Amino acid sequence: MSLQATKLQELLKENAIGEEEFAFCLGIEVTAAEQLCSGKRKLTKKLARQIEQTFSKPNNWLDVEDDSEGPSYDLFG
Protein backbone atom coordinates (compact mmCIF):
# COMPACT_ATOMS: atom_id res chain seq x y z
CA MET A 1 0.00 0.00 0.00
CA SER A 2 1.31 3.44 -0.89
CA LEU A 3 2.21 6.10 1.67
CA GLN A 4 -0.77 8.21 0.61
CA ALA A 5 -3.21 5.30 0.91
CA THR A 6 -1.83 4.45 4.35
CA LYS A 7 -2.23 8.04 5.48
CA LEU A 8 -5.77 8.18 4.09
CA GLN A 9 -6.65 5.05 6.08
CA GLU A 10 -5.22 6.72 9.21
CA LEU A 11 -7.27 9.83 8.43
CA LEU A 12 -10.48 7.82 8.19
CA LYS A 13 -9.82 6.12 11.54
CA GLU A 14 -8.81 9.39 13.18
CA ASN A 15 -12.06 11.05 12.11
CA ALA A 16 -14.23 7.94 12.62
CA ILE A 17 -15.60 8.12 9.08
CA GLY A 18 -15.91 5.70 6.21
CA GLU A 19 -15.02 6.11 2.58
CA GLU A 20 -18.53 7.30 1.76
CA GLU A 21 -18.40 10.17 4.28
CA PHE A 22 -14.87 10.95 3.11
CA ALA A 23 -16.18 11.27 -0.46
CA PHE A 24 -19.02 13.56 0.63
CA CYS A 25 -16.61 15.82 2.55
CA LEU A 26 -14.51 16.28 -0.59
CA GLY A 27 -17.28 16.36 -3.17
CA ILE A 28 -15.96 13.34 -5.06
CA GLU A 29 -17.56 10.07 -6.16
CA VAL A 30 -17.64 7.26 -3.61
CA THR A 31 -15.91 4.89 -6.04
CA ALA A 32 -13.09 7.42 -6.46
CA ALA A 33 -12.70 7.67 -2.67
CA GLU A 34 -12.60 3.87 -2.38
CA GLN A 35 -9.90 3.67 -5.06
CA LEU A 36 -7.85 6.41 -3.40
CA CYS A 37 -8.07 4.83 0.05
CA SER A 38 -7.11 1.41 -1.27
CA GLY A 39 -4.16 2.74 -3.26
CA LYS A 40 -5.64 1.74 -6.62
CA ARG A 41 -5.79 5.38 -7.71
CA LYS A 42 -3.15 8.04 -7.17
CA LEU A 43 -4.01 11.42 -5.66
CA THR A 44 -3.61 14.54 -7.74
CA LYS A 45 -1.70 17.37 -6.08
CA LYS A 46 -4.85 19.50 -6.07
CA LEU A 47 -6.92 16.84 -4.31
CA ALA A 48 -4.10 16.11 -1.84
CA ARG A 49 -4.02 19.80 -0.81
CA GLN A 50 -7.83 19.84 -0.57
CA ILE A 51 -7.78 16.81 1.75
CA GLU A 52 -5.11 18.41 3.93
CA GLN A 53 -7.09 21.63 4.17
CA THR A 54 -10.43 19.89 4.79
CA PHE A 55 -9.04 17.72 7.58
CA SER A 56 -6.71 20.35 9.11
CA LYS A 57 -3.44 18.65 8.22
CA PRO A 58 -0.16 20.44 7.53
CA ASN A 59 0.67 21.34 3.94
CA ASN A 60 2.21 18.37 2.08
CA TRP A 61 1.25 15.97 4.90
CA LEU A 62 0.15 13.36 2.37
CA ASP A 63 3.46 13.54 0.50
CA VAL A 64 5.94 13.44 3.37
CA GLU A 65 6.86 10.29 5.25
CA ASP A 66 7.83 12.15 8.43
CA ASP A 67 4.78 12.94 10.57
CA SER A 68 6.38 15.73 12.60
CA GLU A 69 4.23 18.78 12.17
CA GLY A 70 6.72 21.47 12.94
CA PRO A 71 10.35 22.22 13.63
CA SER A 72 12.08 20.03 16.14
CA TYR A 73 14.50 21.67 18.52
CA ASP A 74 17.02 19.75 20.57
CA LEU A 75 17.83 21.97 23.55
CA PHE A 76 20.80 19.87 24.61
CA GLY A 77 22.23 18.88 21.22
Side-chain angles (χ1 to χ4, degrees), residues 12-32:
L12 295 180
K13 286 181 186 177
E14 187 178 287
N15 289 282
I17 60 173
E19 293 165 343
E20 187 173 341
E21 293 88 359
F22 178 69
F24 293 143
C25 287
L26 299 171
I28 62 174
E29 295 291 324
V30 175
T31 54

Side-chain angles (χ1 to χ4, degrees), residues 4 36 41-51 62-63:
Q4 288 180 336
L36 291 169
R41 186 180 207 178
K42 192 169 179 169
L43 278 170
T44 62
K45 289 183 181 192
K46 182 180 178 181
L47 185 55
R49 301 299 80 84
Q50 181 183 348
I51 292 168
L62 281 163
D63 301 324

Side-chain angles (χ1 to χ4, degrees), residues 1-2 5 34-42:
M1 189 178 288
S2 71
E34 291 169 348
Q35 291 172 344
L36 291 169
C37 292
S38 67
K40 293 179 183 174
R41 186 180 207 178
K42 192 169 179 169

Side-chain angles (χ1 to χ4, degrees), residues 58 66-73:
D66 183 17
D67 281 337
S68 63
E69 294 186 19
S72 177
Y73 299 102

Side-chain angles (χ1 to χ4, degrees), residues 5 8 20 42-43 54-55 60 66 74-75:
L8 288 177
E20 187 173 341
K42 192 169 179 169
L43 278 170
T54 301
F55 292 95
N60 294 317
D66 183 17
D74 182 2
L75 297 176

